[in-house]
Amino acid sequence: MKRQAKASAPAKVILLGEHFVVHGEPAIVLAIDRRATVTVETRSDSKIFIRSEDMGISGFFMNDQFFPQRGGVEAKKKLEPIYAVAREVIKKHGLETAGVNIKIKSSIPIAAGLGSSAAVSVASAAALCSLFDSDKSKDNIFQIAFNAEKIVHGTPSGVDPAISTYGGILWYCKGEPIRRLDIDVDLPLIIGNTGKERSTGELVAKVNDLRNRYPRIIGKVIKAGGEIVKRSVKAIKEKDLETLGELMNINHELLCAVGVSCEELEKLVHAARKAGALGAKLTGAGGGGCMIALVSPEKIEDVAEAIEKAGGEALTTRKTDVGVAIER
Ligand code: MEV
């Protein structure tokens, strides 16, 4: 066993298909060049001590009990998935208990729909597998991070840990093998952050509830979401950004229909479209967080300015093919 190990994993944007992916439809998602980095080291006791610089929280778990150090008892909810990752890696290594320090640093906005929690879970799983000399394959890392998400978010689809693990552009459908879309297209996207934090688990539960109450109506909305994703592959392959933008707009309206948009997101989406975006939609769980706009190069500045004027923070990022990476 090593003394220390380090790994990083990327954030993501869902191009099309969020929420509907939880119900068995496909989604298209891409990894972006903002990363979470996790450093782990062994301890001589059995505490699992976790510290997140960016969230300003820390504390340790011992015998499944949480002892806050910074951020109060509230910190538990945010640190729990990382604890779940650590427990699983330690157990898989055949140990009953083992102490580790886990330090997180991230350039990904938190609770904003860009997959910050999954990126942290994936990077933690990779760093810990490296520390304990366990199976460092991407499939194992994905599975550990996915299991942790299930504990915390209820019924996630797995799209977030999948893209953070494998990178690139993925066609993701729950329960199917990971499918990489090796398409050589530069998708000029601007991200607009509302700055409003929200809980993915609660929004997923909200859509579930609506579907249970109106199965024949919401079932059709979900199916239409899947059709949009299928149609978009042709548009992406043909570099037909106008059609892709139109499909993004339709996708956004379906997400409104299932109740996951909000006033702040609507403002940014409409401002981006008015400033000439080819398409604009919320990305991730909605309820706040981020939206994305597809823009032709000559409109980048206009759209970014419109997003800022409408109260958002415009972020420019690029797609990355680098998924989880263990640092030597
Ligand atoms: C969150 O980034 C994406 C959702 O579809 C939830 C999930 O797929 O687990 C809202």
Side-chain angles (χ1 to χ4, degrees):
M1 189 166 54
K2 300 186 187 95
R3 269 256 333 118
Q4 206 189 61
K6 193 173 179 180
S8 69
K12 61 99 196 357
V13 291
I14 297 185
L15 189 64
L16 295 157
E18 51 275 272
H19 283 290
F20 311 132
V21 68
V22 173
H23 301 272
E25 296 300 327
I28 293 181
V29 58
L30 45 120
I32 56 171
D33 59 0
R34 284 183 176 240
R35 302 183 76 83
T37 302
V38 173
T39 310
V40 294
E41 58 185 16
T42 47
R43 289 177 64 99
S44 52
D45 56 21
S46 60
K47 288 177 187 163
I48 298 189
F49 187 93
I50 311 169
R51 176 153 57 100
S52 167
E53 307 262 338
D54 317 278
M55 287 195 268
I57 54 174
S58 62
F60 67 89
F61 290 83
M62 207 169 59
N63 301 326
D64 288 340
Q65 245 192 301
F66 180 64
F67 300 86
Q69 200 183 56
R70 245 182 106 192
V73 281
E74 285 296 294
K76 183 181 180 202
K77 222 171 148 197
K78 292 184 175 146
L79 299 179
E80 229 164 12
I82 306 146
Y83 173 60
V85 165
R87 287 287 312 136
E88 186 167 341
V89 177
I90 290 166
K91 221 164 142 199
K92 274 193 171 167
H93 194 65
L95 295 169
E96 203 33 61
T97 54
V100 281
N101 287 328
I102 303 175
K103 195 172 83 191
I104 302 152
K105 253 190 109 34
S106 170
S107 62
I108 310 168
I110 295 153
L114 302 181
S116 71
S117 69
V120 169
S121 293
V122 167
S124 301
L128 287 160
C129 284
S130 170
L131 187 74
F132 288 102
D133 263 330
S134 291
D135 177 1
K136 294 188 278 288
S137 69
K138 288 194 170 168
D139 290 352
N140 185 48
I141 290 167
F142 163 65
Q143 202 52 56
I144 293 169
F146 189 18
N147 291 345
E149 276 221 333
K150 281 187 207 157
I151 294 171
V152 185
H153 296 315
T155 57
S157 65
V159 67
D160 289 12
I163 190 65
S164 271
T165 304
Y166 298 96
I169 306 186
L170 297 183
W171 162 287
Y172 184 85
C173 198
K174 202 165 72 173
E176 287 180 9
I178 303 289
R179 206 170 118 195
R180 224 186 158 109
L181 289 181
D182 282 320
I183 301 171
D184 180 28
V185 59
D186 194 19
L187 294 172
L189 292 174
I190 296 180
I191 298 172
N193 189 358
T194 62
K196 185 178 169 192
E197 290 191 16
R198 76 297 166 277
S199 146
T200 299
E202 280 168 24
L203 286 146
V204 168
K206 186 175 172 184
V207 178
N208 267 329
D209 175 56
L210 203 66
R211 188 194 187 185
N212 290 339
R213 288 191 290 121
Y214 303 102
R216 292 167 68 113
I217 300 169
I218 302 301
K220 288 201 171 79
V221 174
I222 291 169
K223 279 263 164 293
E227 290 306 320
I228 291 174
V229 174
K230 288 174 201 159
R231 176 64 184 83
S232 75
V233 175
K234 184 168 177 275
I236 297 171
K237 279 188 180 155
E238 290 172 354
K239 299 188 175 35
D240 178 358
L241 298 188
E242 293 214 348
T243 300
L244 182 62
E246 202 162 37
L247 292 169
M248 287 168 67
N249 287 340
I250 303 171
N251 192 158
H252 179 76
E253 305 316 329
L254 296 185
L255 289 163
C256 289
V258 296
V260 296
S261 189
C262 65
E263 204 180 324
E264 293 84 349
L265 278 167
E266 288 307 306
K267 275 191 189 145
L268 304 194
V269 164
H270 288 281
R273 287 181 191 160
K274 211 165 149 193
L278 297 164
K281 63 178 277 292
L282 69 84
T283 186
C290 291
M291 49 74 69
I292 47 170
L294 184 71
V295 279
S296 48
E298 68 278 8
K299 291 281 181 194
I300 288 178
E301 274 177 28
D302 290 352
V303 173
E305 204 181 300
I307 287 173
E308 297 263 346
K309 271 201 184 136
E313 184 195 0
L315 313 166
T316 42
T317 52
R318 299 198 71 81
K319 172 179 104 54
T320 177
D321 287 328
V322 184
V324 65
I326 294 172
E327 295 182 21
R328 304 275 150 212

